């Protein structure tokens, strides 16, 4: 049922066994990716299973005999957003609402695969650095599977909802006085030296779960969208989703591929800067800053994969300001009833900007990936909306406030 798989270096092409615990190529230090044997199946055959990550078993290299660690992730709604589309200038705008995952973000797609892999390798402990969502998700899947979980967070820069989740699910949470990039460097060293299984997106097995978002959009739309917009932080997701579309194409399950549209916050946009400059190497942003704390990342480890996804797909990249992010977040919430966290709104702000700049047509069928739930960051929501008025418990006073 599960496909056979190997690890391959994306630069020197050396291959390694799927049972080896590697986060980069021992030969040249570059990123590794999972290569699976191309499955022979059909959408109809797979549709006998419920919509969600594990519908696509034939594409998921979990390993025979492995017990899957699942919280029933994926299967998230794809909303057609006509009112928001009018605002953004698009006639066919969809939102893939990843906030509907068990821990409220797309990370669950990766963690079901990643923690299953950790168990099958016999690991007793897992770790990650995180801007918040990865830690919330890993903590939950570690709890479900009885693994010890360590998370390292940039102090003071993780939204309250995410911190609450990591703590409640029983992770050992360590706040470091530094940013995400520094936390990631530390956890990479700690996990390698201490034999703890690392589940940041540098771990290519995690991305195998995240690629299922591509499969679901094809199942839900009946075809691949023309444009797939996604916020970029550490840049695992954009590359995972592109990999998913390509695997469906290789299996004959789609003829077309979307253009991938990677969107970063203005204050944390090393990949967009690089693509704009036509450069071949990333210049890290040393002090990244944005209201979208989830993507407050200056030195994304997966930049080579992201750059490849955007270039190969004849895609686009763009930056959006904090004002544009907050504006898009508020519009989606008030026009469509969909509540997302700031980082997720980068994809919406990005498509609006691309229409305005004439980079995409008004009739482009666009799917915006909205990566995390509004309740992840309640403090930001209250800050931008303002606190409610407080009045005496008096009918006259209150009725006077209701304007209809
Ligand atoms: N949106 C949200 C809500 C996120 O939490 C993240 C990443 C992204 C987008 C960007 O995804 O890294 O694959 O490009 N959050 C990570 C974390 C870094 O630690 O939770 P990416």
């Amino acid at each position: 049922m599960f496909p056979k798989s190997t690890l391959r270096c994306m630069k020197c092409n050396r291959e390694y066994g799927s049972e080896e615990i590697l986060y980069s190529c021992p030969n040249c230090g570059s990123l590794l990716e999972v290569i699976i044997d191309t499955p022979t199946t059909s959408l109809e055959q797979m549709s006998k299973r419920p919509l969600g990550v594990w519908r696509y078993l034939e594409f998921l290299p979990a390993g025979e005999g492995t017990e899957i660690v699942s919280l029933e992730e994926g299967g998230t709604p794809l909303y057609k957003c006509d009112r928001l589309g009018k605002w953004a200038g698009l006639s066919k705008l969809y939102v893939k609402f990843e906030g509907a995952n068990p821990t409220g973000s797309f990370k669950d797609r990766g963690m079901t695969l990643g923690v299953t892999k950790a168990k099958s390798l016999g690991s007793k402990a897992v770790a990650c650095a995180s801007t918040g969502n990865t830690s919330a998700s890993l903590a939950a899947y570690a709890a479900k599977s009885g693994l010890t979980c360590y998370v390292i967070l940039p102090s003071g820069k993780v939204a309250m909802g995410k911190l609450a989740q990591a703590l409640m699910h029983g992770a050992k949470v360590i706040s470091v006085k530094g940013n995400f990039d520094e936390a990631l460097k530390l956890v990479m060293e700690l996990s390698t030296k201490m034999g703890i299984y690392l589940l940041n997106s540098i771990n290519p097995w995690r991305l195998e779960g995240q690629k299922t978002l591509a499969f679901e959009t094809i199942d839900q739309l009946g075809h691949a969208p023309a444009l797939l917009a996604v916020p970029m932080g550490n840049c695992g997701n954009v590359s995972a989703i592109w990999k998913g579309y390509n695997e469906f194409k290789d299996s004959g399950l789609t003829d077309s591929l979307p253009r991938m549209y990677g969107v970063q916050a203005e204050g944390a946009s090393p990949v967009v800067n690089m693509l704009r400059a036509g450069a071949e190497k990333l210049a890290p942003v040393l002090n990244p800053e944005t209201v979208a704390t989830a993507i407050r990342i200056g030195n994304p480890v997966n930049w080579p994969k992201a750059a490849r996804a955007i270039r190969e797909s004849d895609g686009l990249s763009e930056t959006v300001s904090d004002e544009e992010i907050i504006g898009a977040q508020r519009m989606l919430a008030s026009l469509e009833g969909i509540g997302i966290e700031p980082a997720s709104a980068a994809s919406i702000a990005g498509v609006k900007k691309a229409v305005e700049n004439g980079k995409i047509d008004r009739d482009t069928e666009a799917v915006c990936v909205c990566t995390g739930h509004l309740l992840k960051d309640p403090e930001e929501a209250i800050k931008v909306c303002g606190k409610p008025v407080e009045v005496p418990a008096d009918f006259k006073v209150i009725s006077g406030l209701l304007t209809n």
Side-chain angles (χ1 to χ4, degrees):
M1 191 82 81
F2 299 110
K4 284 214 174 69
S5 58
T6 48
L7 282 171
R8 188 161 78 197
C9 172
M10 71 177 283
K11 197 161 181 194
C12 75
N13 286 325
R14 286 225 182 162
E15 294 201 357
Y16 304 94
S18 60
E19 299 309 305
E20 291 194 56
I21 299 181
L22 295 172
Y23 309 111
S24 59
C25 175
N27 181 49
C28 74
S30 301
L31 295 174
L32 295 170
E33 54 193 342
V34 176
I35 306 296
I36 60 164
D37 282 1
T38 304
T40 324
T41 183
S42 66
L43 287 178
E44 202 189 353
Q45 203 174 321
M46 291 189 288
S47 72
K48 290 180 187 137
R49 305 180 197 119
L51 186 69
V53 168
W54 295 100
R55 168 178 283 195
Y56 309 101
L57 269 184
E58 289 81 353
F59 290 82
L60 300 177
E64 294 303 335
T66 303
E67 200 175 313
I68 292 167
V69 181
S70 173
L71 292 167
E72 299 184 26
E73 48 291 311
T76 55
L78 182 71
Y79 295 115
K80 175 119 196 293
C81 293
D82 292 337
R83 299 183 75 206
L84 185 78
K86 226 176 211 167
W87 171 78
L90 279 165
S91 62
K92 285 173 275 180
L93 177 60
Y94 293 83
V95 162
K96 182 72 171 152
F97 181 45
E98 289 292 281
N101 274 295
T103 76
S105 86
F106 72 98
K107 306 286 181 180
D108 297 344
R109 291 182 187 275
M111 290 308 174
T112 182
L113 214 300
V115 172
T116 297
K117 186 77 186 172
K119 287 289 275 189
S120 76
L121 292 168
S123 305
K124 297 280 177 274
V126 289
C128 70
S130 182
T131 56
N133 282 321
T134 296
S135 64
S137 182
L138 182 58
Y141 284 82
K144 171 86 180 167
S145 61
L147 293 174
T148 303
C149 178
Y150 301 104
V151 308
I152 301 193
L153 306 177
S155 172
K157 293 292 181 182
V158 172
M160 203 59 86
K162 305 172 188 182
L163 185 59
Q165 288 177 292
L167 291 167
M168 185 56 90
H169 290 304
K172 170 93 182 154
V173 180
I174 301 162
S175 263
V176 294
K177 290 180 184 141
N179 62 29
F180 169 82
D181 302 299
E182 292 163 305
L184 181 59
K185 219 171 138 210
L186 277 166
V187 81
M188 281 165 68
E189 189 182 345
L190 287 164
S191 41
T192 311
K193 290 191 176 152
M194 297 179 74
I196 301 167
Y197 196 61
L198 179 66
L199 272 165
N200 279 101
S201 56
I202 194 158
N203 182 326
W205 301 101
R206 215 190 89 186
L207 300 182
E208 290 301 289
Q210 287 176 217
K211 74 187 180 188
T212 57
L213 185 142
F215 305 159
E216 286 185 14
T217 61
I218 291 176
D219 254 333
Q220 289 171 309
L221 281 175
H223 53 264
L227 187 82
L228 194 290
V230 60
M232 294 194 300
N234 217 13
C235 293
N237 210 26
V238 66
S239 51
I241 296 169
W242 178 237
K243 187 175 193 284
Y245 283 118
N246 279 284
E247 287 182 0
F248 256 29
K249 182 138 193 272
D250 292 344
S251 286
L253 301 179
T254 179
D255 296 329
S256 65
L257 295 170
R259 299 178 76 190
M260 300 299 292
Y261 183 14
V263 188
Q264 292 194 299
E266 256 173 29
S269 59
V271 176
V272 181
N273 298 346
M274 180 195 138
L275 292 168
R276 270 188 192 145
E280 287 309 313
K281 230 178 137 30
L282 186 96
V285 170
L286 293 183
N287 294 305
E289 205 46 86
T290 167
V291 67
T293 52
I295 53 172
R296 186 176 167 272
I297 295 175
N299 191 14
V301 289
N302 288 302
W303 70 262
K305 289 185 178 176
R308 185 180 64 183
I310 293 169
R311 284 175 172 153
E312 266 182 15
S313 69
D314 185 28
L316 311 160
S317 66
E318 186 56 273
T319 59
V320 288
S321 67
D322 281 359
E323 292 69 36
E324 288 168 321
I325 287 172
I326 291 167
Q329 180 195 24
R330 298 191 72 169
M331 279 300 161
L332 181 63
S334 59
L335 294 176
E336 301 286 351
I338 303 169
I340 61 172
E341 67 168 288
S344 309
S347 58
I348 309 268
V351 292
K352 183 172 195 290
K353 202 161 183 175
V355 175
E356 281 165 5
N357 295 343
K359 289 188 180 168
I360 57 172
D361 295 334
R362 291 177 168 273
D363 58 1
T364 305
E365 187 175 62
V367 170
C368 289
V369 182
C370 287
T371 43
H373 201 284
L374 168 68
L375 294 175
K376 292 282 191 173
D377 196 349
E379 287 177 317
E380 181 269 350
I382 292 167
K383 203 161 148 195
V384 300
C385 294
K387 285 189 179 152
V389 286
E390 204 170 306
V391 296
D394 180 273
F395 177 84
K396 249 177 122 179
V397 176
I398 297 172
S399 61
L401 292 171
L402 307 187
T403 50
N404 255 336

